[in-house]
């Protein structure tokens, strides 16, 4: 009877230790939805803190001084199996930013937009935009720079309606 009781105690202790080990190895990760939210916030913050010239397109530099306000969409990241923000090395997405100058409405604001890659291995993260060249068309350059699954999405989708509305609200707040 005592041996049987010791057996049950040993089993309970073993199961408890296993549960603790499982929580310690997997409990530090982030849910995919939470990681996507963190990546979105990181992309927006990185672009808004950068000089507009760092994410200009086709030679359209933002000459004016003003606050950069961005809407972003994350298409994916590498490694794709990353469970937490510090594990992510590269983020692929789209950005639409407006330079909010006092009194300048959105419709005439300097805007910077297009597919973007963040290099998360540097501090601050590096920004690389997709641009056509004299020899390479935009869509071909997109496919050169983005993994196929993200290039496909980037070729047809930009900001969500909710993100675009939030961008406009934040822009108007900064400009007026």
């Amino acid at each position: 009877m005592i041996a049987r009781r010791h057996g049950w105690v040993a089993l309970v202790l073993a199961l408890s230790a296993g549960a603790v080990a499982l929580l310690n190895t997997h409990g530090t990760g982030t849910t995919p939805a939470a990681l996507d939210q963190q990546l979105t916030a990181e992309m927006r913050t990185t672009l808004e803190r950068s000089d507009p010239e760092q994410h200009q397109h086709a030679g359209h530099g933002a000459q004016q001084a003003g606050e950069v306000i961005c809407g972003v969409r994350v298409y994916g990241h590498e490694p794709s199996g990353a469970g937490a923000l510090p594990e992510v090395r590269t983020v692929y997405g789209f950005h639409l930013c407006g330079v909010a100058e006092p009194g300048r409405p959105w419709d005439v604001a300097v805007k910077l937009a297009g597919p973007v890659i963040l290099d998360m291995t540097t501090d601050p993260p590096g920004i690389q935009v997709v641009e056509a060249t004299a020899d390479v068309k935009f869509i071909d350059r997109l496919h050169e720079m983005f993994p196929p699954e993200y290039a496909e999405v980037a070729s047809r989708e930009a900001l969500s309606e909710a993100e675009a509305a939030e961008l406009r609200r934040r822009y108007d707040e900064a400009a007026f």
Side-chain angles (χ1 to χ4, degrees):
M1 182 117 156
I2 292 177
R4 187 182 235 174
R5 213 177 287 159
H6 287 288
W8 282 109
V9 170
L11 179 62
V12 168
L13 289 174
L15 289 174
S16 298
V20 168
L22 185 62
L23 286 174
N24 284 337
T25 59
H26 296 292
T28 58
T30 306
T31 66
L35 180 57
D36 285 345
Q37 289 175 344
Q38 291 172 349
L39 292 171
T40 297
E42 183 69 24
M43 181 179 279
R44 182 180 299 113
T45 300
T46 297
L47 292 167
E48 289 182 348
R49 288 183 181 163
S50 69
D51 184 300
E53 291 181 12
Q54 289 180 282
H55 49 112
Q56 64 180 309
H57 285 265
H60 298 293
Q63 307 291 328
Q64 297 84 355
E67 183 179 359
V68 177
I69 307 295
C70 298
V72 300
R73 178 172 182 180
V74 173
Y75 296 135
H77 60 277
E78 290 181 347
S80 60
L85 189 60
E87 298 170 10
V88 175
R89 293 188 311 266
T90 309
V91 181
Y92 300 92
F94 177 87
H95 76 301
L96 172 57
C97 301
V99 180
E101 297 176 80
R104 184 177 290 258
W106 172 259
D107 293 342
V108 294
V110 172
K111 295 180 190 76
L112 312 158
V116 65
I117 300 169
L118 292 187
D119 176 358
M120 303 295 285
T121 64
T122 63
D123 187 21
I127 302 167
Q128 188 177 16
V129 296
V130 176
E131 290 187 286
T133 67
D135 301 321
V136 181
K137 294 186 296 185
F138 175 83
I139 194 69
D140 294 334
R141 187 73 175 126
L142 175 67
H143 285 281
E144 288 175 3
M145 295 174 67
F146 275 55
E149 64 272 22
Y150 306 139
E152 179 60 32
V153 176
S155 68
R156 66 180 193 286
E157 296 181 22
L159 298 183
S160 68
E161 286 185 37
E163 183 73 9
E166 179 64 9
L167 168 61
R168 286 293 302 272
R169 184 197 67 73
R170 292 178 59 235
Y171 177 90
D172 290 342
E173 188 177 277
F176 294 101

